[in-house]
Amino acid sequence: MRSIKKLAIIAVLTPLFAACSSGPSESDVEELIQSQYDQAHSMMDDAMSQAGSNETAQAMSGMMQGMMPTLESVDNVSCDTTEGDNTYLCTADVTQTIGGKSRTDSGAFKVNDVNGEWVLTQ
């Protein structure tokens, strides 16, 4: 009877421990990558707003805006632990549009769990 109780406790706690130590999900990684694109676009928007009304500055700003990459998708995400319990090395196929042309590149990203929140550290 005692061994049955131990087995029951182990059966209940094992999924809990596994869930606590799991890496970032595909959607977590996609959100982190999207936030990098959003940050770059925000910086470009700030620079454009400070360019003023000078025709040349406006033309340069427009050209730079057209060259900014736009994230289309993040696929085939895979994460493995590295450098400790809270650090993961993730790989993904990132599809983006730059200057009207779409391309897919594979990349590696370091993701850390900092106080229960995923952070992209590259």
Side-chain angles (χ1 to χ4, degrees), residues 4-84:
I4 292 174
K5 286 182 183 179
K6 286 181 183 178
L7 287 174
I9 290 172
I10 291 171
V12 170
L13 293 179
T14 299
L16 179 63
F17 290 130
C20 291
S21 64
S22 66
S25 67
E26 186 168 335
S27 64
D28 290 331
V29 174
E30 185 172 358
E31 287 175 20
L32 291 170
I33 294 170
Q34 180 64 54
S35 71
Q36 294 293 308
Y37 280 79
D38 293 345
Q39 184 178 13
H41 282 273
S42 176
M43 290 169 55
M44 179 58 70
D45 290 344
D46 289 347
M48 286 178 52
S49 68
Q50 294 178 14
S53 58
N54 177 322
E55 250 182 69
T56 305
Q58 290 293 324
M60 289 297 289
S61 294
M63 183 178 74
M64 293 301 291
Q65 184 69 21
M67 294 173 60
M68 289 294 294
T70 302
L71 182 64
E72 290 180 34
S73 66
V74 178
D75 299 302
N76 302 320
V77 175
S78 175
C79 297
D80 294 312
T81 54
T82 183
E83 299 177 18

